[in-house]
Amino acid sequence: MLHKYRKTALIEAEQFDGSDEMMKRYGIHEAKVPPMVTDLNLYLPTKEGNMVIKQDDWIVTGVDGEHWAIDKNIFERTYERCD
């Protein structure tokens, strides 16, 4: 049977501004090979491997300190600020 679920854990998040400071803090790095035609050549290390990240995406920190990126539009439709 199909059920609906709501996330219950609080997360921390900040919007990636492309700065060197944020790149250093989260270990974001450029592609080691020449980028393709797109500008998607920055990567955020995650538990599952490198994840493409672009400016204005949100960097989320989970309950175990892990990080992942969420597209700006998806983040704004999915999460609500609570502090």
Side-chain angles (χ1 to χ4, degrees):
M1 176 178 273
L2 186 63
H3 299 279
K4 293 185 180 185
Y5 293 88
R6 178 181 316 159
K7 295 178 182 178
T8 59
L10 292 178
I11 54 129
E12 292 182 344
E14 67 179 314
Q15 197 165 22
F16 179 52
D17 61 11
S19 69
D20 289 339
E21 188 271 325
M22 284 189 80
M23 289 180 65
K24 183 177 179 181
R25 183 171 353 128
Y26 290 103
I28 296 169
H29 57 277
E30 293 186 28
K32 300 212 184 310
V33 295
M36 301 285 221
V37 179
T38 68
D39 61 349
L40 303 177
N41 62 338
L42 293 177
Y43 295 93
L44 173 70
T46 71
K47 287 173 51 174
E48 288 80 24
N50 289 329
M51 184 176 198
V52 172
I53 186 169
K54 54 193 179 307
Q55 190 167 336
D56 293 329
D57 283 354
W58 285 81
I59 299 172
V60 178
T61 303
V63 294
D64 293 324
E66 74 279 16
H67 301 294
W68 68 94
I70 300 178
D71 179 81
K72 177 183 184 270
N73 294 323
I74 293 170
F75 184 87
E76 290 172 351
R77 289 186 315 210
T78 308
Y79 291 90
E80 176 181 291
R81 188 172 174 168
C82 61
D83 62 352

